[in-house]
Structure formats: C-alpha cells, structure tokens
Amino acid sequence: MDIFGHIQVVDREGRLLARAASEAGTDAKVPTCPDWQVRDLLRHTGMVHRWAAAFITERRTSYRLGGELPALDGEELVDWFREGHAALVETLTAAPPDIECWAFLPAPSPLAFWARRQANETTIHRVDAESARGGTPSPIDVDFAVDGIEELLLGFHAREKSRVRSDVPRVLRVRATDTPDERSWTVRLSDGPPVTERGATAPADCEVSGPAARLYLALWNRLPFPQVTGDRALAALWRERSAIVMG
C-alpha cells in the first residue's frame, strides 16, 4: 500500500473508532483488552495520534515520550479523540514526502512509516472499540491485512524487543488463505529475535492459517487463530509473548 492509501485507512478507521466508542459509552469494558474501559482506549489512542503527529509537525529526529492523558470523560473525551485524529490526518496529508523525522521501523521514508504505523494502530483500536460496543465489526481489507501482518512480522518482531523466543530453534508458518497466492511467511524462532522470511522457506513445526483479516487480528491477539496445525505450543507461545513494546 502507498502513503495515500494508508492515510485513507487512518481517516476511516478513526471515524469508526469514535462512533463505536460514543455508542458504547466510556464506562464500557473492552473485551479485546480486558484491563481497559473505553475511556482508557480513547485516552491511549488519542495520545498516540498526537504523539505521532508531533514528530512530523515539529520535525523531531529523536525519540520523545508521549504527552499526558487527559482527565476528560464521556462525550468530551470522544470529542478530544476526534480532534486529535483529525489533526493527525491533516498532518499526514500535508506533510512533504521527503520530510525527515524519527521513525522506529524500516520504511521507504519517515512519512511512509508514520502513515502505515498509524493506519495499523487505529485499525486495531477500532476493533477494540467495536468489541466494547458489540454487534457486527467493520471489515478489514485483505490487502491492508496482509500489509499489517508484514509490519508486525518483518518490523516489530525483527527488533531486539521481541519476546517471542525459543530455547530450541522452531519454525512457525503464517498463511493467509484468501489471498490469490495463499501468501505465507516463515518465522524462525530461536533464543534471539524472530527472523521472518516471505514464503514457505522451511518445514514448519506449526502453521497458523486463515483469512488475512482474521489472521491479522489473531497475530495482534484480538482473536483466536482461525486454524492451527502442528505443535500448538508455538501458537500459544505467540499469544503469551508477542505483546508489543512501542518505540
């Protein structure tokens, strides 16, 4: 996906998130994040949107912590979220393609990184908001889900911070069954960070598979894996240790 496509996702998903949060109410529990209520979700995502936009607007070239969470609640908190989301979309849209600022995953440019990262951030938390509201969740495009899986496997879990490790080398296969080529990834687990390769490059000890959107959400621990074959302990290892540390 290109930068414009990711910005469109940020825009759409943020609007869906705000609507679901308003309909659920800020007291509602978030089933996909059991320790959170909707107010926690709005405060977190709204802060992240402002944090991301600041790197671009201020041309920040080194890491800085996010801002403080607001004491607002109810519809005032929803409005605060909407303001930060709209500002992020505007910032991404107006930024020059060659802007220089801090980023923490490989990407063609800092702007490409931030557009992609916030598209995934906002989509995952939209799913959280809709889980609190209940009802039928909004769909996730197959191509976007594949791109999101790649950000997670080839980006986040290639870092030293990844805790998905095994004392004995093992191989986990991830396979999206609804893509034309049944897109797959081979995740080599060891006592170091996982190493992910596109395609079925080695025999797998365990395979997790299913439609790309469901697989995307499962890898982000929002749904169970659609299908697991082989050593289920590797799928359990992923669920236990794959929580992301940002930055």
Side-chain angles (χ1 to χ4, degrees):
M1 292 183 66
D2 60 14
I3 292 172
F4 178 70
H6 282 126
I7 295 172
Q8 286 184 307
V9 173
V10 176
D11 189 15
R12 179 181 66 250
E13 296 291 318
R15 293 173 188 272
L16 289 171
L17 192 163
R19 184 172 71 188
S22 181
E23 291 170 352
T26 53
D27 287 336
K29 296 287 188 181
V30 181
T32 48
C33 297
D35 294 334
W36 276 3
Q37 293 173 285
V38 168
R39 64 173 57 88
D40 302 304
L41 175 64
L42 287 169
R43 289 168 182 163
H44 166 80
T45 314
M47 180 275 292
V48 169
H49 284 172
R50 288 165 169 80
W51 174 76
F55 283 103
I56 298 170
T57 57
E58 299 175 18
R59 278 32 175 198
R60 294 179 180 177
T61 57
S62 59
Y63 174 75
R64 295 189 193 180
L65 292 172
E68 295 184 3
L69 302 180
L72 300 171
D73 205 351
E75 281 302 309
E76 289 185 339
L77 180 57
V78 177
D79 289 342
W80 174 85
F81 169 83
R82 286 192 173 108
E83 290 170 5
H85 167 252
L88 173 63
V89 172
E90 182 179 351
T91 296
L92 291 169
T93 302
D98 60 350
I99 190 171
E100 292 295 330
C101 63
W102 180 80
F104 61 88
L105 295 178
S109 69
L111 182 59
F113 162 78
W114 282 113
R116 184 193 208 193
R117 175 81 292 277
Q118 291 312 301
N120 284 289
E121 177 83 12
T122 309
T123 298
I124 292 298
H125 289 316
R126 181 271 293 170
V127 171
D128 294 332
E130 290 185 344
S131 80
R133 181 198 62 194
T136 303
S138 302
I140 295 173
D141 177 77
V142 171
D143 289 341
F144 176 74
V146 167
D147 184 69
I149 290 170
E150 293 229 325
E151 186 206 44
L152 188 61
L153 297 181
L154 296 166
F156 277 111
H157 286 289
R159 304 187 305 166
E160 283 291 335
K161 290 184 178 183
S162 177
R163 298 184 302 112
V164 184
R165 304 188 181 211
S166 172
D167 293 335
V168 177
R170 308 301 301 280
V171 175
L172 174 67
R173 176 99 69 248
V174 177
R175 183 167 59 91
T177 57
D178 59 343
T179 56
D181 55 354
E182 291 212 359
R183 189 76 57 87
S184 65
W185 300 265
T186 298
V187 186
R188 298 177 185 267
L189 303 178
S190 68
D191 58 1
V195 176
T196 299
E197 301 158 348
R198 294 184 179 95
T201 57
D205 299 295
C206 173
E207 179 178 277
V208 295
S209 61
R214 289 190 61 195
L215 202 54
Y216 169 67
L217 293 177
L219 289 165
W220 276 103
N221 290 325
R222 264 51 183 193
L223 289 176
F225 285 114
Q227 183 173 356
V228 180
T229 56
D231 185 355
R232 302 182 72 88
L234 287 186
L237 175 72
W238 182 273
R239 298 197 71 82
E240 291 165 5
R241 300 190 184 177
S242 64
I244 294 298
V245 177
M246 300 298 288

